[in-house]
Amino acid sequence: MITSREHKKNYFRTVMLALVGTIWTMDSPTVAAESPELPTEHAILTSAPLVPPPITRDYPAKVIVTLETIEKVGRLSDGVDYTFWTFGGQVPGSFIRIREGDHVEFNLNNHPSSKMPHNIDLHAVTGPGGGATSSFTAPGHSSQFSFKALNPGLYVYHCATAPVGMHIANGMYGLILVEPKEGLPKVDKEYYIMQSEFYTKGNYGEEGLQPFDMTKALSEIPDYVVFNGSVGAITGDKSMRANVGETVRLYVGNGGPNLVSSFHVIGEIFDKVYVEGGDMVNRHVQSTLIPAGGSAIVEFLVDVPGTFILVDHSIFRAFNKGALGMLKTDGAEDLAIYSGKQKDSIYLPEGGGIQSIADSGSTMAKAKNKEERILFGKRTYDQNCMACHQPNGKGIPGAFPPLAGSDYLLTKPKRSIDVLLNGLSGKITVSGQTYDGVMPAVQLSDESIANVLTYVLNSWGNNGGEILPEQVVEKRMH
């Protein structure tokens, strides 16, 4: 109990000083601690799938990292747009490469056009929120904090502003590599891949600007699971490249926000996997698990040429939701390692039948003219037909007939409507070659069937023409 007036004065003085100190701490920026004198450099930042060059110095440095958050509309899939929240204007965010022992000055700029405040939680940071508590940044403002890179490894970073899951689901994640002091073993090619999922009001492939769907996110049922922010981001002309005899290192992250990835490269075996991005190495691995908010480093030697497909081996995600990429390799064949097909003969077991592939039920825009029908048809082809009949329409010899230059198709174009509606089983002759297989009935809308057949008729040197939805309706009724 305080009994004297002097004691009361001292007590209240102490309380007031404590309150003032608290208010000052809340409202004023922290004075940066003095760092040892170090050479200063600005970090090289790259957009996926590119990686900054390896660090060659053998001493720590003060590394200045400047990253901007910006909200922008971009492509999620052909015909599908999304308002991405980004680090560096891309999804995933810029790749950051530093060295163990570096002192990092981190500057976060939030573009004035942003509607939301943002911050950054770097899993490489030892400190409250991984930097999130010091980097909360309103639109049109900048924040700065510093940290020392204590632990080597490959780490995820992401926005941690509430609601955290929504900021991550909209694209706010990336990777930061802290190279060990002794450096990483030299390889020929390095690439940056990040898996994530998107939750949209419309189903997969439904066109237009799609908003975020919180109900689907809470249920953990994404419409899209993709590499590097969109369907096809590392396929076709955007594929990664390597040559036979080269070593390839992939820095693979999983932004989540919910799913665990089963990362696999079809036709390759990982010589090394740096498990969860740390220093424990597993060897001769077929697939590796990457948790949401985690990473892995995989390395392999390219032994033979070809296109190697990268997938999440939760396989419907790859072929039906977008988690698919390509590594195209060039060089001489080595038939001792991989011969290619050596024999093709007929095998006719008992049984068989025509199955069907269901449509996604998406609401598709209706074509106003032939040009739009071809455009929309390409999207349907890419999603439903390309795996069998190939991007060039040439099919797979002995398995799937060609659509390019196909006399079976071009002499009677309307016959293909029956094939899509009802499927096809048994022998057919296409351009002089006999095929004996099963074509599943594809349960597409009348509009989608007309579009995809019109696309096929006008592609790969075929002689043109147009199929209309009314013609599909007529065939369906008869």
Side-chain angles (χ1 to χ4, degrees), residues 205-263:
E206 189 166 332
E207 297 182 345
L209 179 62
Q210 291 294 327
F212 169 74
D213 190 313
M214 180 62 83
T215 301
K216 290 180 180 178
L218 291 172
S219 301
E220 303 186 7
I221 305 175
D223 301 278
Y224 298 85
V225 184
V226 299
F227 293 146
N228 289 356
S230 64
V231 176
I234 43 175
T235 64
D237 293 339
K238 296 174 285 187
S239 300
M240 299 171 292
R241 309 293 306 209
N243 296 312
V244 169
E246 290 185 326
T247 47
V248 176
R249 177 181 293 139
L250 304 179
Y251 298 101
V252 189
N254 183 7
N258 291 319
L259 304 181
V260 173
S261 173
S262 303
F263 185 71

Side-chain angles (χ1 to χ4, degrees), residues 141-221:
H141 286 252
S142 298
S143 296
Q144 180 182 305
F145 68 98
S146 298
F147 69 93
K148 183 176 181 180
L150 298 178
N151 300 291
L154 181 64
Y155 299 96
V156 168
Y157 67 79
H158 60 85
C159 187
T161 300
V164 178
M166 183 178 180
H167 283 250
I168 296 174
N170 283 339
M172 300 198 79
Y173 39 75
L175 290 180
I176 176 170
L177 174 66
V178 183
E179 284 200 26
K181 292 178 179 178
E182 64 277 12
L184 290 169
K186 185 181 183 303
V187 293
D188 297 302
K189 296 287 172 63
E190 294 185 315
Y191 291 110
Y192 169 27
I193 301 163
M194 200 152 195
Q195 179 173 321
S196 61
E197 63 256 21
F198 289 90
Y199 301 83
T200 57
K201 289 289 185 185
N203 294 326
Y204 179 92
E206 189 166 332
E207 297 182 345
L209 179 62
Q210 291 294 327
F212 169 74
D213 190 313
M214 180 62 83
T215 301
K216 290 180 180 178
L218 291 172
S219 301
E220 303 186 7
I221 305 175

Side-chain angles (χ1 to χ4, degrees), residues 33-36 38-39 41 57 60-65 98-106 146-149:
E34 289 297 325
S35 298
L38 296 172
E41 63 183 49
R57 55 183 163 82
K62 177 183 176 182
V63 180
I64 299 173
V65 177
I98 58 177
R99 179 184 180 274
E100 180 185 3
D102 282 349
H103 291 250
V104 180
E105 176 193 294
F106 202 99
S146 298
F147 69 93
K148 183 176 181 180

Side-chain angles (χ1 to χ4, degrees), residues 234-473:
I234 43 175
T235 64
D237 293 339
K238 296 174 285 187
S239 300
M240 299 171 292
R241 309 293 306 209
N243 296 312
V244 169
E246 290 185 326
T247 47
V248 176
R249 177 181 293 139
L250 304 179
Y251 298 101
V252 189
N254 183 7
N258 291 319
L259 304 181
V260 173
S261 173
S262 303
F263 185 71
H264 175 77
V265 177
I266 300 174
E268 268 295 351
I269 297 167
F270 303 142
D271 300 323
K272 291 182 182 179
V273 174
Y274 294 82
V275 180
E276 297 182 3
D279 58 9
M280 184 172 73
V281 176
N282 198 359
R283 298 178 185 274
H284 313 307
V285 176
Q286 58 190 316
S287 301
T288 189
L289 290 175
I290 306 176
S295 66
I297 304 173
V298 303
E299 296 176 3
F300 53 89
L301 173 69
V302 177
D303 294 296
V304 295
T307 298
F308 295 86
I309 307 299
L310 290 67
V311 297
D312 179 342
H313 215 297
S314 297
I315 208 69
F316 279 101
R317 299 176 190 172
F319 294 103
N320 299 84
K321 294 192 173 186
L324 185 147
M326 295 179 178
L327 173 69
K328 293 188 175 182
T329 64
D330 299 310
E333 300 276 2
D334 188 336
L335 301 183
I337 294 177
Y338 183 73
S339 69
K341 181 175 287 191
Q342 295 175 313
K343 180 181 179 182
D344 187 1
S345 58
I346 301 297
Y347 173 65
L348 296 174
E350 294 181 4
I354 299 177
Q355 298 175 323
S356 65
I357 299 175
D359 187 18
S360 65
S362 299
T363 302
M364 305 299 289
K366 291 188 177 181
K368 300 183 183 67
N369 49 50
K370 181 179 176 182
E371 287 70 28
E372 283 196 356
R373 197 171 301 289
I374 293 171
L375 174 64
F376 297 164
K378 181 182 187 305
R379 296 169 186 168
T380 301
Y381 183 86
D382 290 346
Q383 293 173 10
N384 295 274
C385 315
M386 185 172 66
C388 296
H389 294 289
Q390 300 298 290
N392 57 12
K394 293 184 178 179
I396 298 176
F400 302 110
L403 301 179
S406 166
D407 54 4
Y408 184 89
L409 167 68
L410 299 176
T411 55
K412 295 182 178 180
K414 293 181 182 178
R415 176 166 54 183
S416 296
I417 301 175
D418 286 320
V419 174
L420 292 183
L421 288 174
N422 304 309
L424 183 66
S425 180
K427 291 184 179 181
I428 61 170
T429 301
V430 180
S431 302
Q433 297 294 317
T434 299
Y435 295 84
D436 190 358
V438 175
M439 164 67 187
V442 181
Q443 296 176 7
L444 296 170
S445 68
D446 299 331
E447 179 80 14
S448 293
I449 289 175
N451 292 346
V452 72
L453 289 177
T454 301
Y455 167 71
V456 169
L457 289 172
N458 291 273
S459 300
W460 316 302
N462 289 342
N463 54 13
E466 183 176 9
I467 301 294
L468 300 175
E470 304 88 82
Q471 296 173 305
V472 181
V473 171

